[in-house]
Amino acid sequence: MLLSVLLLGVVAAASVALGARAIPLDQVWDALTGGAGSAAVPPGVSGDPGTGEGTVVGDGTGDIAGIVVGMRVPRTLLGLLVGAALGLAGAVMQALTRNPLAEPGILGVNAGASAAVVSAISFLGVTSITGWIWFAFLGAAAVSVMVYALGGNRAATPVRLALAGTAITAALYGYVNAVVLLDTAALDRMRFWTVGSLASARMETFWQILPFIGVGCLIALLLARPLNALALGEDTARALGSRPTATRLGAMLVITLLCGAATAACGPIVFVGLMIPHLVRSLTGPDLRWILPYSAVLAPVLLLSADILGRLLARPGELQVGIVTALIGGPVFIHLVRRRRMAQL
């Protein structure tokens, strides 16, 4: 765990130091500490968080502090928060459904939140994350219940849940694409959000979703023991003093809070919640008292690393983090499905 925390610190520092435009490390440090070196900006850097730091604006003069402190620091903090949310949501979802393929993107939870947010923007004129987040929660909760019901409730198998989630995801993303193509104003607001992006991060966004993700993380950690008991079977869980119904309701609340807040802030980012719990289980075994804390630490490592990679590969522009995680996660998902143990589930 100590090594994981140290790795997270290194990746977070790299996220602040590296970007679509190269800024010398001494100037990055000066910007963070308020030193004299933060006054000049390399040619071509924009200080506008809404356009991306690689956008060329005029002669490129501006304020490095605006880029480092105004763009990269909020982006890094939001990546830490959203990564922890997605990692915990994936681990809780896999434990609740006993499905190693469960993940907010695969089971349609992100798609439900996305469809609700797009509807709010296009039909109700909601333009702020404060408004989006409630619709994201509603969409995430509705799809969670729908997938669980279509998958067979308690008799659900991993394959049935994955198929139900895939079908609902396809339908909802078809709806999302139709809405944004027919509504140009919605398209302008949604074009980066729908692929999953940290590019427009603001400190206001971080503070707005922090309470929801904080509560979700706390409840998730408290559910570690009850979920461990539930994994042994419902009768055994009751014999051990656990309450399966309350555990399931708490887990659904956790998934809704974490996925709804993360999707409202950054859009649907897939595969983070799938890959990290599998990696963690190979290190810790099946005990959720370890899986959940490790997932909360290592998922931001993956998310921020993908974000850094997207910024470096596409200079002077950037590749959205949702695209990078999808490119990484697709082959991992195929590998998991083809494993002999998965075929026997």
Side-chain angles (χ1 to χ4, degrees):
M1 177 61 77
L2 178 60
L3 291 175
S4 298
V5 172
L6 290 175
L7 177 61
L8 179 60
V10 170
V11 172
S15 178
V16 175
L18 303 174
R21 288 286 176 172
I23 299 177
L25 292 180
D26 60 333
Q27 294 187 19
V28 172
W29 177 255
D30 286 338
L32 291 172
T33 59
S38 62
V41 170
V45 175
S46 166
D48 180 7
T51 61
E53 64 184 69
T55 305
V56 176
V57 178
D59 61 1
T61 61
D63 182 13
I64 281 184
I67 298 173
V68 176
V69 179
M71 296 173 64
R72 294 185 184 176
V73 170
R75 185 176 189 148
T76 300
L77 291 175
L78 191 62
L80 292 171
L81 198 60
V82 169
L86 294 176
L88 278 172
V92 170
M93 190 175 287
Q94 290 174 17
L96 176 66
T97 61
R98 302 182 193 177
N99 180 3
L101 296 181
E103 192 264 347
I106 295 172
L107 294 191
V109 179
N110 285 347
S114 300
V117 170
V118 168
S119 299
I121 291 174
S122 182
F123 302 123
L124 301 179
V126 180
T127 58
S128 69
I129 188 174
T130 307
W132 292 355
I133 200 165
W134 300 109
F135 290 93
F137 288 151
L138 179 63
V143 171
S144 297
V145 173
M146 192 182 303
V147 169
Y148 195 58
L150 292 177
N153 295 319
R154 296 181 183 180
T157 64
V159 173
R160 290 181 67 178
L161 287 170
L163 289 175
T166 300
I168 291 174
T169 296
L172 289 176
Y173 277 138
Y175 166 76
V176 169
N177 290 333
V179 171
V180 298
L181 288 176
L182 293 174
D183 186 342
T184 55
L187 176 61
D188 288 339
R189 290 192 290 268
M190 298 292 297
R191 59 195 178 99
F192 289 116
W193 186 88
T194 52
V195 297
S197 174
L198 296 173
S200 59
R202 304 286 199 282
M203 284 307 301
E204 307 92 86
T205 305
F206 173 82
W207 291 116
Q208 285 170 342
I209 68 168
L210 179 61
F212 300 101
I213 292 182
V215 171
C217 290
L218 179 60
I219 298 174
L221 295 175
L222 293 175
L223 286 175
R225 287 181 181 273
L227 286 171
N228 275 341
L230 192 61
L232 301 174
E234 192 161 325
D235 293 337
T236 304
R238 286 198 179 95
L240 293 173
S242 179
R243 293 180 294 174
T245 301
T247 301
R248 289 192 181 95
L249 290 175
M252 293 299 295
L253 175 61
V254 165
I255 293 166
T256 301
L257 284 172
L258 296 180
C259 294
T263 305
C266 300
I269 299 175
V270 297
F271 289 122
V272 174
L274 173 70
M275 291 184 283
I276 291 301
H278 280 279
L279 171 64
V280 170
R281 272 192 291 272
S282 68
L283 300 174
T284 68
D287 191 345
L288 285 164
R289 292 175 298 176
W290 285 106
I291 290 175
L292 295 178
Y294 269 96
S295 296
V297 173
L298 291 178
V301 172
L302 173 62
L303 186 63
L304 288 177
S305 298
D307 187 45
I308 294 169
L309 187 63
R311 284 184 273 172
L312 296 181
L313 289 179
R315 280 180 170 177
E318 65 178 65
L319 198 60
Q320 306 303 318
V321 66
I323 298 173
V324 179
T325 58
L327 291 174
I328 297 172
V332 173
F333 180 70
I334 294 172
H335 168 70
L336 293 174
V337 172
R338 290 178 58 87
R339 283 171 56 182
R340 181 177 301 178
R341 283 184 296 174
M342 284 300 305
Q344 294 173 349
L345 290 174

